Amino acid sequence: MFTAAAESFLRQARESQEEELRRFAARVSALLQGPEPGPEAVDGLQRLHLTVAATKYPRKLDGKFVELLQTVLCSPKSPEQIQVLCAAILREMSPCNDLILSCDEIQDTKLLSLVSSVLLAQENKGEVAAVGQRVVKVLGRRLPEGQSARFLLPVLANVIRLSPESLTEEQTSAVSKKLADWLRYASTQQGMAQPSGGFFSSPRTKQPAPVTEMDGAVATDFFTVLSVAQHYTQDQWLNVQTFSMLRNWLLCYGGKELNTLNPDDTAGMDRPVTSVVSAVARAGQLLPPRERLRDKAFEYCQRLIEQSSRRPLKKDDGDLQKACVIEAVTIMDIICKQDSSYVCRAVSFLKILHSRICGDASYARALLPIAQFFLNHSKLTAVDSDAIYKHLFTDIPAQLFHNPSLAFEFVQFCKDNSQLFTDSSSIFRQSFPNLFKFLAWNSPPLISEFVDLLPFLLDPGTTIEIFHLLLDLPCLTAALDIQLRAAALPASEKAGGDPAGKPGTCLEAFRHPLYKSMFQHLLRAKSAPQDAPESLVPLRLLLGSLAGSPRVVQCAETVPVLLELFFRVVAEFADGSLINQLVVLLLQRSDQLYEIPAFKEDVYRVLGSQLAMLCGLRPALVVELSTEILEFSGAVSNIQSKEAIFTHMVWAVGEYLSVSYDRRCTVEQIARFFESLEAVLFEITQLRPQASTPSCAPRAISVLMATLTKLAARSQDLIPRVSMFLSKMRTFVQSPAVTSVYCEEDLEEILIRATELMNLLKMPSVAQFVFTPPVASTRFQKEVNDSLPLALRMVTQLLEPAPGSMPV
Amino acid sequence: MVRAFVLLAPGGPAGHAPCRVLYARTFGTPPGTVPGGSRQRLRRKEQLLVVARQVASQCQLLQSSLGHPSSPQLPQLPDEPMSLQDAPGGLFQLPPGDPFPERVTVVWLSVLALAFALVCEPQENLSLAEITLRRLAPRLLLSLRLLGPGFLHCFPALHSGTTPRAHDSEWRLHVAVNGH
């Protein structure tokens, strides 16, 4: 297999020894210094490159050899292939200390490009600046015959990316002038093929043909990257390269001049010359270089957008058109930011573009920069761009959620404009159900983006709806799957099955009246807080058949992370009533989850610990929601199916059901909880468990015992009952039916705990102290198994153990 | 702008073949970072390895969500350039600090048992980057050949990224994304 072979080659390269390497380098050195380095030298250099590149640790090559590489690189006699390989090896070793390379004397543009690539890899500002200076100098001169500037523009683009301050203002002006010329005045005739030579071939060739558009029509306007020719002239290459670096150039040097080498030359930079300058442009006079480049760039972008309306002859060219539209709109946006006089022209132009492409799914990604433009500039022109945003947020996610690139860029757009979501009435905020469709379908690449985005979507108004949405996210994935498959059905099958009977498959259910409204709710595009989500129970059951699908499983794995984040954010702003609502819903929804076992377990784990957190935030809820909590904690079935939630709930009862947290906590209430929990504990610790008795996690038993003890410490007439119960735990632990179910360590732990609790109850006032600490310190008692046993053991050790009460 | 190009073998699911960087090219690293010669090189290599591992993991997740087997077993690279319109690929972001100081977006494409990735700066035109990968990959595949009992033999095309055919709109695309 390909990669197995590659793997072994890489290992060979990595494991070759220093000595072997040195000998090999010496051999290559000899070849390079020979009269005509040929294929053997090429092969040797390639192997050397691989050896150096194969390991991340440095490979020492002899200093003389490195020097030789540099000499060979710069020598005009060296064949191009060898020069390229020498540069590659030097780059791979970078940063090097032994570099003697300099670009100062190099005339040949191709070589300059190669040498620059090595120098730019040195991670040294001085080198970058030197390269920048040299390239600008060469560009500024008239190049000798056979030399082309097109090898230099990519170098320049790299220089300004790495270190924009490498160029002086004078230099950027000079280059801007050239860039503007290349953008606007490239030849509109096709280039000539290289003459094939030969003594008999006639040097006279046909007249050069004109450049064409992508649909084959002859071009009537200036050359752009979307123009087509058989061969390209040098200035046409430069045209394309200029466009490719235009965005960065404008970002670096198009605005207020802060990026160049003349920091003291800022006088006058803040002059509002923009409107004056544009008037001058319209008058046709010569503009300063920066403004002129802006002008030509704007024209170029307009032309590109017009060219994109043509139907390309080659299907692949369509993609290029769309990518160029995106680039053009982005550049127009930048230009308008730098000179607001362009905004009027741009707005009308882009509105026309938008109406042309808004119905075309293949142009969906271009809608994002258009929307961004209007977000940035529509205030200036009082243009109503709401229709654009509405279409973008309502229609696009619903139709194109399955396009992973669009999904990614859409979510980036939301993140970049997160301030839009703060206004609860805006279309952006209202459309959050649509946004989650992107995540539901494309979970792995988007989960980290949603972790960043979710906090902006949460506020008191959306909390409950988003809670339901998160718990139902895998259902959403399944429903989207069905929606796609239903849309792909031929029209004849779309009519749906018999409405009176029950649907046989999920696909039939999609249009069945029983399920239709549930699907519609799940797949809604806008926030709908009023709709009751318990109506989704039958739908979840129906979708159970898709629970194993890989996409659904991947989505399910993202939910615990988002849930934890959800609670963390909500805890910061939730008031008492919202917290109460959440707790009630949490207990309710624990019964209504999509049936994926691993998913349910993870969700229970998160919900359990977050439940404890919520109770800690608002202890009074234990009293206020006593009915719901009693119902939940009194059901023995909950111990087995939702152990994490049950355990934390019971712990919270023990912790917070007390007069010190809420004056409304009466003795009757404590007694009620006590009886309910006692009954549960009784049932799960029967000496002769019946078939129906659930086997429970030992932690549940421990926490029940601890909670009962805490309640008894507060209502002391309950103490005898608890003490008697706890003393029976020894018998429970030793009963043969029980020892077969639980492991020895767990049983021992239970017994120790029971004994400690019993001891504590013998000193009721101490027990009260231990179990009802002042409110401030409750934050430390979050973990059930954590601080309470420690406190208990400490107290037990401090006091004299009563004789006969400790286990032997 | 494109920071780096990575050609990797994603390997198999966890426990099987590890992910390997077969070839990588960075287009200059921003200076002003911690100076130190070989440590800088080590850091660069490790950053690229992180990218490769993330690509491998995203690739495996996408393959499994599409229901494809996890490691396509193909004995030989095809002889003609293949169309990569339907090859699986995607986009994801790496947050600042992990592994590059600033956030980057990675565009990747999976072909046979290999993957190609472009590490782009945040403001890059991602449509153009994707198109470039899909046009570039077939040409690179043509250049990758195993040469007998020697090393992996990479033609210079792989080093300089140039294929001097002037009438290619695809080549113009490659230029337009502006690597070297």
Side-chain angles (χ1 to χ4, degrees):
Chain A
M1 189 177 136
F2 176 70
T3 49
E7 171 81 22
S8 86
F9 292 154
L10 281 176
R11 197 172 315 127
Q12 275 181 32
R14 265 201 298 277
E15 291 170 1
S16 63
Q17 301 295 330
E18 288 287 336
E19 184 52 40
E20 209 181 314
L21 186 59
R22 205 172 324 132
R23 269 186 277 130
F24 190 69
R27 205 162 68 223
V28 174
S29 172
L31 285 168
L32 285 176
Q33 288 169 325
E36 289 225 0
E40 272 182 51
V42 168
D43 185 75
L45 285 172
Q46 280 167 336
R47 290 170 188 234
L48 256 181
H49 178 268
L50 180 65
T51 311
V52 172
T55 166
K56 60 186 182 183
Y57 298 108
R59 284 288 208 168
K60 205 71 185 86
L61 284 179
D62 184 38
K64 283 215 157 347
F65 183 69
V66 174
E67 208 177 299
L68 175 64
L69 286 177
Q70 296 171 69
T71 318
V72 168
L73 170 59
C74 297
S75 153
K77 288 189 303 190
S78 308
E80 190 184 332
Q81 205 175 12
I82 292 198
Q83 284 178 321
V84 165
L85 283 164
C86 290
I89 297 178
L90 289 169
R91 268 198 314 265
E92 185 54 50
M93 292 169 44
S94 297
C96 322
N97 300 326
D98 319 328
L99 227 49
I100 51 170
L101 269 185
S102 144
C103 50
D104 287 336
E105 298 304 316
I106 302 181
Q107 304 291 342
D108 178 77
T109 53
K110 247 192 200 174
L111 180 59
L112 182 55
S113 154
L114 263 184
V115 169
S116 305
S117 75
V118 177
L119 292 174
L120 290 178
Q122 302 308 312
E123 302 192 24
N124 178 317
K125 256 198 171 128
E127 298 278 16
V128 176
V131 168
Q133 295 296 314
R134 181 73 191 150
V135 166
V136 167
K137 200 164 172 189
V138 173
L139 278 176
R141 290 203 303 250
R142 193 183 159 74
L143 288 170
E145 189 63 46
Q147 295 289 328
S148 164
R150 72 176 166 110
F151 300 109
L152 299 180
L153 277 191
V155 180
L156 187 62
N158 228 353
V159 164
I160 70 169
R161 171 176 76 93
L162 296 173
S163 175
E165 61 276 7
S166 308
L167 306 184
T168 66
E169 198 198 320
E170 205 183 302
Q171 288 170 327
T172 59
S173 294
V175 175
S176 296
K177 219 187 288 189
K178 285 197 173 284
L179 293 178
D181 284 335
W182 288 328
L183 275 184
R184 183 61 182 79
Y185 300 115
S187 158
T188 49
Q189 304 294 324
Q190 297 197 22
M192 311 283 259
Q194 296 295 341
S196 43
F199 186 70
F200 295 104
S201 69
S202 158
R204 255 185 310 114
T205 47
K206 305 195 294 279
Q207 280 290 75
V211 153
T212 62
E213 301 287 350
M214 280 189 165
D215 59 0
V218 169
T220 50
D221 207 343
F222 58 90
F223 179 90
T224 72
V225 70
L226 289 178
S227 308
V228 177
Q230 294 290 11
H231 304 278
Y232 295 98
T233 62
Q234 290 299 330
D235 57 346
Q236 286 167 348
W237 279 116
L238 290 168
N239 178 295
V240 171
Q241 286 176 333
T242 304
F243 176 65
S244 74
M245 60 186 275
L246 188 57
R247 190 205 285 217
N248 269 345
W249 185 268
L250 289 175
L251 282 173
C252 275
Y253 305 120
K256 289 201 194 146
E257 218 60 54
L258 292 174
N259 273 331
T260 62
L261 276 181
N262 292 338
D264 46 15
D265 189 20
T266 49
M269 281 303 132
D270 292 339
R271 270 178 299 139
V273 289
T274 51
S275 45
V276 174
V277 164
S278 309
V280 171
R282 282 191 281 279
Q285 299 184 22
L286 206 56
L287 291 169
R290 192 159 38 118
E291 285 75 10
R292 184 166 169 265
L293 177 60
R294 227 181 265 153
D295 189 53
K296 302 298 175 212
F298 193 86
E299 258 191 83
Y300 195 98
C301 293
Q302 279 180 307
R303 171 134 166 77
L304 280 182
I305 292 176
E306 275 158 4
Q307 283 176 302
S308 70
S309 62
R310 294 170 183 271
R311 215 182 146 75
L313 291 175
K314 279 169 39 178
K315 187 173 158 299
D316 289 345
D317 283 345
D319 295 337
L320 181 55
Q321 280 179 328
K322 297 170 176 75
C324 286
V325 165
I326 292 175
E327 189 73 12
V329 174
T330 311
I331 292 179
M332 277 179 150
D333 191 2
I334 295 173
I335 291 176
C336 288
K337 276 189 207 155
Q338 294 174 348
D339 181 348
S340 46
S341 70
Y342 282 96
V343 173
C344 279
R345 283 159 67 186
V347 159
S348 50
F349 198 76
L350 290 178
K351 272 217 140 179
I352 297 173
L353 171 64
H354 182 268
S355 43
R356 167 160 67 89
I357 67 174
C358 66
D360 185 345
S362 63
Y363 264 102
R365 286 168 81 176
L367 295 175
L368 292 167
I370 294 178
Q372 186 68 63
F373 174 89
F374 281 104
L375 282 171
N376 293 341
H377 302 289
S378 60
K379 276 194 279 290
L380 269 182
T381 57
V383 150
D384 178 28
S385 33
D386 283 344
I388 294 182
Y389 309 141
K390 187 158 183 292
H391 170 66
L392 183 65
F393 273 80
T394 317
D395 301 331
I396 298 296
Q399 293 161 4
L400 297 171
F401 59 86
H402 51 84
N403 179 330
S405 309
L406 172 67
F408 180 84
E409 292 196 298
F410 202 109
V411 177
Q412 288 304 313
F413 174 83
C414 293
K415 277 172 59 174
D416 291 338
N417 295 288
S418 51
Q419 75 283 356
L420 294 174
F421 294 93
T422 49
D423 177 10
S424 53
S425 63
S426 72
I427 182 70
F428 308 100
R429 166 69 79 80
Q430 300 260 328
S431 312
F432 69 77
N434 248 357
L435 295 180
F436 277 95
K437 291 179 187 172
F438 289 130
L439 176 64
W441 195 259
N442 309 283
S443 316
L446 290 184
I447 174 61
S448 54
E449 310 310 309
F450 263 85
V451 164
D452 293 338
L453 184 63
L454 184 61
F456 294 100
L457 302 176
L458 279 170
D459 80 351
T462 57
T463 299
I464 301 297
E465 198 179 350
I466 291 187
F467 181 61
H468 285 296
L469 208 155
L470 286 179
L471 291 177
D472 282 329
L473 208 56
C475 284
L476 180 57
T477 312
L480 290 171
D481 187 25
I482 295 184
Q483 185 183 44
L484 278 179
R485 284 195 273 151
L489 284 176
S492 52
E493 289 182 48
K494 276 189 188 167
D498 170 27
K502 288 206 74 174
T505 63
C506 293
L507 262 179
E508 281 176 28
F510 190 64
R511 299 194 194 276
H512 195 282
L514 261 182
Y515 292 95
K516 199 163 163 185
S517 61
M518 288 188 252
F519 270 110
Q520 276 171 353
H521 175 75
L522 195 54
L523 294 169
R524 67 195 182 282
K526 281 181 78 156
S527 161
Q530 288 75 29
D531 293 6
E534 49 255 25
S535 61
L536 291 183
V537 170
L539 183 60
R540 265 181 231 116
L541 278 173
L542 174 82
L543 292 174
S545 60
L546 290 172
S549 117
R551 222 179 261 278
V552 170
V553 169
Q554 281 178 0
C555 176
E557 288 168 3
T558 66
V559 173
V561 169
L562 289 173
L563 269 182
E564 288 206 34
L565 176 62
F566 168 86
F567 280 104
R568 198 169 41 230
V569 174
V570 166
E572 288 169 18
F573 62 71
D575 66 358
S577 126
L578 187 58
I579 293 181
N580 282 12
Q581 249 187 310
L582 269 178
V583 170
V584 170
L585 274 177
L586 195 157
L587 295 176
Q588 270 177 9
R589 281 301 308 252
S590 63
D591 273 326
Q592 301 166 18
L593 289 180
Y594 196 24
E595 198 58 50
I596 312 174
F599 167 68
K600 283 171 73 170
E601 248 192 66
D602 286 335
V603 168
Y604 289 152
R605 182 180 42 80
V606 173
L607 289 182
S609 56
Q610 296 305 323
L611 180 58
M613 183 274 293
L614 287 175
C615 294
L617 272 184
R618 187 174 157 71
L621 72 85
V622 178
V623 171
E624 286 172 7
L625 303 176
S626 51
T627 322
E628 287 88 352
I629 297 179
L630 264 173
E631 194 184 319
F632 183 84
S633 53
V636 176
S637 57
N638 281 342
I639 304 184
Q640 198 177 27
S641 57
K642 305 166 206 159
E643 188 257 326
I645 303 183
F646 181 88
T647 318
H648 283 91
M649 186 80 263
V650 169
W651 174 83
V653 166
E655 196 68 12
Y656 300 117
L657 187 67
S658 144
V659 137
S660 52
Y661 285 114
D662 190 331
R663 299 208 175 284
R664 296 165 293 173
C665 176
T666 59
V667 168
E668 286 81 30
Q669 207 149 38
I670 295 185
R672 232 195 333 242
F673 270 98
F674 184 90
E675 276 165 20
S676 168
L677 294 176
E678 187 189 37
V680 171
L681 185 56
F682 181 72
E683 190 168 336
I684 64 177
T685 55
Q686 290 178 48
L687 293 180
R688 275 177 287 277
Q690 293 144 359
S692 58
T693 312
S695 79
C696 313
R699 189 167 74 148
I701 298 180
S702 289
V703 92
L704 277 166
M705 293 194 304
T707 297
L708 286 172
T709 311
K710 289 177 191 174
L711 293 180
R714 286 166 212 156
S715 174
Q716 302 197 354
D717 46 328
L718 297 169
I719 291 181
R721 280 164 78 171
V722 183
S723 297
M724 190 171 66
F725 204 112
L726 291 173
S727 62
K728 286 196 191 144
M729 289 310 285
R730 178 189 288 270
T731 328
F732 168 74
V733 156
Q734 288 169 342
S735 124
V738 168
T739 45
S740 59
V741 175
Y742 297 101
C743 77
E744 201 181 309
E745 292 93 23
D746 289 337
L747 289 176
E748 202 176 307
E749 211 26 66
I750 292 176
L751 187 57
I752 293 179
R753 182 66 54 85
T755 317
E756 289 170 349
L757 289 169
M758 231 170 23
N759 284 347
L760 210 50
L761 285 177
K762 289 182 177 148
M763 295 156 287
S765 44
V766 177
Q768 205 165 37
F769 165 72
V770 168
F771 290 134
T772 318
V775 181
S777 70
T778 53
R779 262 180 303 138
F780 297 110
Q781 301 217 334
K782 274 197 200 151
E783 254 311 318
V784 178
N785 292 328
D786 209 4
S787 43
L788 178 58
L790 204 56
L792 285 179
R793 266 168 215 156
M794 194 177 67
V795 171
T796 309
Q797 277 164 17
L798 284 176
L799 305 171
E800 294 263 320
S805 62
M806 288 295 283
V808 191
Chain B
M1 296 254 345
V2 174
R3 277 188 82 132
F5 168 78
V6 183
L7 167 62
L8 60 132
H16 291 69
C19 161
R20 292 266 179 241
V21 173
L22 296 177
Y23 174 78
R25 169 77 193 270
T26 41
F27 300 108
T29 315
T33 43
V34 179
S38 63
R39 285 190 69 79
Q40 279 170 284
R41 179 173 182 273
L42 179 61
R43 196 169 62 121
R44 186 176 81 226
K45 299 294 261 187
E46 298 208 315
Q47 285 170 335
L48 293 171
L49 191 57
V50 168
V51 171
R53 280 199 292 257
Q54 282 288 339
V55 170
S57 136
Q58 292 284 337
C59 182
Q60 276 151 20
L61 286 167
L62 181 63
Q63 300 280 37
S64 80
S65 79
L66 293 173
H68 296 164
S70 46
S71 31
Q73 305 274 342
L74 268 154
Q76 192 75 359
L77 293 172
D79 285 328
E80 305 86 36
M82 26 192 289
S83 162
L84 294 183
Q85 280 302 99
D86 300 318
L91 306 169
F92 63 89
Q93 196 168 84
L94 292 171
D98 182 22
F100 299 96
E102 45 301 304
R103 80 168 197 207
V104 295
T105 306
V106 178
V107 182
W108 63 271
L109 181 69
S110 155
V111 186
L112 306 176
L114 297 176
F116 302 83
L118 285 176
V119 179
C120 303
E121 305 203 325
Q123 301 305 320
E124 183 55 71
N125 182 329
L126 297 172
S127 299
L128 213 44
E130 285 181 316
I131 296 174
T132 302
L133 264 190
R134 282 179 196 267
R135 301 283 193 274
L136 205 54
R139 285 171 167 67
L140 292 178
L141 284 175
L142 277 183
S143 301
L144 286 173
R145 285 281 181 270
L146 295 177
L147 191 67
F151 289 105
L152 189 62
H153 185 108
C154 296
F155 281 89
L158 205 55
H159 292 290
S160 63
T162 58
T163 37
R165 267 173 293 181
H167 62 286
D168 265 344
S169 55
E170 292 93 340
W171 170 231
R172 282 180 290 136
L173 279 174
H174 171 62
V175 166
V177 166
N178 216 317
H180 264 258

